[in-house]
Amino acid sequence: MADERMLAEALGVLSGGSPERDLAAFRAEHPGVRVRLVRQREEYDGSIQHALLIKKGDGATISLSWCPERELPWPLRGVHRAGEHLLLRVNGVETPVARAVACLDFIWDESRLADRLVTDSLVREAMEEAWEPLTDAELQEAMNAFRRARGLLTGAETRAWMERNRISHHELEELVSVEASIARLRSRIAAESVEDWFAEHGRDLDVARVAKVVLVPGAVLSSADPAGFLEGVERAFADGAAVPGEVFATLRRQELGPETADAVFSAEPGTVVGPFPTERGDLMIKVLAVEPAVLDDTVRDLAERRIFAEWVERRRSTAKVEWFWGTAERTGA
């Protein structure tokens, strides 16, 4: 499936000293080939080993690796130190990874964490197949955004956060770089689809500005008059008949169930709609304003995220997922 020149050039990527840099030239020379650079840190001595996975259209894959003289020999690659199986130690009490996973076994009933782990693997696979390093300016911009999102507005606050989370400056840069690379991948995948997606699904992003309250089961507002809605909410909360929570909110159509969305977005401003049953009680909503979605920066970002989620689901449907913990039945599911 590959001629000798391609394999020789691939070997040059691994042996040249800068695999990430040389890989771009190799991809440009062989555009019809999917290439993934695999990096692995060896626990035995801390060295970084590289391998290339080369795939053409027939589905077969070549795995190519290279070991220079006096580097970690093949038999010791993949050897694990005993400490690698530990996740946590508190006051000398050790928690192995297996015990931590057993404690988290409930996630099989609410699979958001498991889904995120699979998604992370699929995204990293895609980024490794077409790796584009961030420029210094892009990294700095991403770092600034990362700090703002977490309220780390001063150097002292940032250092305290790093110390609290036991993160070094290098690890922080790596974390920010991954976030920025994912955002760039998301934008690249969605770049040519946003307008078409918005034309078909933009209605889901319509906005309603509302006042709302969830009443405990059996409770009712003291006044059904829209003009007295907020006063009724105050009395309900004072009497213990309202569930504590946000009163004023901005809701998008996609966040609501079909029945609730139809009632809210067809109502005139000033109208009270409900009750709508929820897990916590009956939801009452006073509609203050309804706005159709427009393709501004916020909506574009939401559209990109929906397109990206659909792309991830397509990759997941053909992915080979192997769990190395949990019962066989749950792993299979």
Side-chain angles (χ1 to χ4, degrees), residues 130-149:
W131 178 252
E132 297 178 24
L134 296 172
T135 66
D136 291 342
E138 288 174 327
L139 181 59
Q140 185 60 58
E141 182 180 351
M143 181 69 73
N144 294 340
F146 181 92
R147 291 175 56 186
R148 286 195 303 271

Side-chain angles (χ1 to χ4, degrees), residues 5-85:
R5 184 175 66 87
M6 178 196 294
L7 291 178
E9 292 175 356
L11 185 60
V13 170
L14 294 174
S15 61
S18 300
E20 290 86 355
R21 182 196 63 197
D22 297 338
L23 184 60
F26 180 85
R27 285 189 171 123
E29 186 70 21
H30 303 281
V33 176
R34 291 177 59 191
V35 186
R36 178 182 173 194
L37 180 65
V38 180
R39 307 168 187 82
Q40 178 171 318
R41 180 181 182 275
E42 295 294 341
E43 290 298 326
Y44 185 82
D45 63 354
S47 63
I48 303 297
Q49 306 296 335
H50 295 86
L52 281 180
L53 301 181
I54 306 171
K55 178 180 288 188
K56 294 188 73 174
D58 59 5
T61 301
I62 289 179
S63 176
L64 183 65
S65 57
W66 176 74
C67 182
E69 188 177 6
R70 298 190 180 280
E71 289 291 329
L72 187 69
W74 299 106
L76 289 180
R77 293 195 180 185
V79 171
H80 297 282
R81 295 179 182 273
E84 187 183 358
H85 298 287

Side-chain angles (χ1 to χ4, degrees), residues 116-136:
R116 290 183 65 180
L117 292 173
V118 174
T119 296
D120 176 69
S121 297
L122 293 172
V123 169
R124 284 190 286 119
E125 177 190 28
M127 290 194 300
E128 289 171 0
E129 289 177 352
W131 178 252
E132 297 178 24
L134 296 172
T135 66
D136 291 342

Side-chain angles (χ1 to χ4, degrees), residues 74-249:
W74 299 106
L76 289 180
R77 293 195 180 185
V79 171
H80 297 282
R81 295 179 182 273
E84 187 183 358
H85 298 287
L86 292 179
L87 176 67
L88 177 69
R89 182 184 290 121
V90 178
N91 295 333
V93 178
E94 297 179 342
T95 300
V97 172
R99 180 177 178 85
V101 168
C103 292
L104 292 173
D105 196 49
F106 72 91
I107 69 169
W108 291 109
D109 297 323
E110 195 271 307
S111 60
R112 290 174 57 191
L113 179 55
D115 286 345
R116 290 183 65 180
L117 292 173
V118 174
T119 296
D120 176 69
S121 297
L122 293 172
V123 169
R124 284 190 286 119
E125 177 190 28
M127 290 194 300
E128 289 171 0
E129 289 177 352
W131 178 252
E132 297 178 24
L134 296 172
T135 66
D136 291 342
E138 288 174 327
L139 181 59
Q140 185 60 58
E141 182 180 351
M143 181 69 73
N144 294 340
F146 181 92
R147 291 175 56 186
R148 286 195 303 271
R150 289 157 180 80
L152 307 176
L153 305 182
T154 67
E157 290 173 335
T158 302
R159 287 191 293 273
W161 182 88
M162 292 168 60
E163 183 176 347
R164 185 168 61 252
N165 290 279
R166 300 295 190 269
I167 293 178
S168 67
H169 183 74
H170 174 74
E171 290 169 331
L172 177 60
E173 284 193 348
E174 189 174 71
L175 175 63
V176 171
S177 176
V178 169
E179 281 198 357
S181 297
I182 291 174
R184 185 168 60 183
L185 174 65
R186 183 171 62 238
S187 295
R188 187 174 74 238
I189 288 171
E192 298 180 0
S193 306
V194 171
E195 284 76 11
D196 291 340
W197 186 93
F198 182 74
E200 183 176 356
H201 303 285
R203 184 171 177 267
D204 293 342
L205 302 180
D206 290 347
V207 170
R209 305 187 190 282
V210 305
K212 62 185 180 68
V213 63
V214 176
L215 302 173
V216 300
V220 295
L221 282 179
S222 59
S223 172
D225 178 11
F229 181 81
L230 292 180
E231 183 179 347
V233 171
E234 289 180 2
R235 283 200 296 269
F237 184 72
D239 295 340
V243 178
E246 182 183 39
V247 175
F248 294 102

Side-chain angles (χ1 to χ4, degrees), residues 193-208 251-255 265 290-296 298-300 302-304 306-307 310:
S193 306
V194 171
E195 284 76 11
D196 291 340
W197 186 93
F198 182 74
E200 183 176 356
H201 303 285
R203 184 171 177 267
D204 293 342
L205 302 180
D206 290 347
V207 170
L251 305 175
R252 294 195 182 271
R253 187 187 294 269
Q254 67 178 10
E255 299 170 350
F265 284 91
V290 174
E291 303 169 3
V294 295
L295 194 55
D296 55 15
T298 299
V299 170
R300 181 175 291 274
L302 291 172
E304 286 185 355
R306 288 281 295 273
I307 294 168
E310 293 166 2

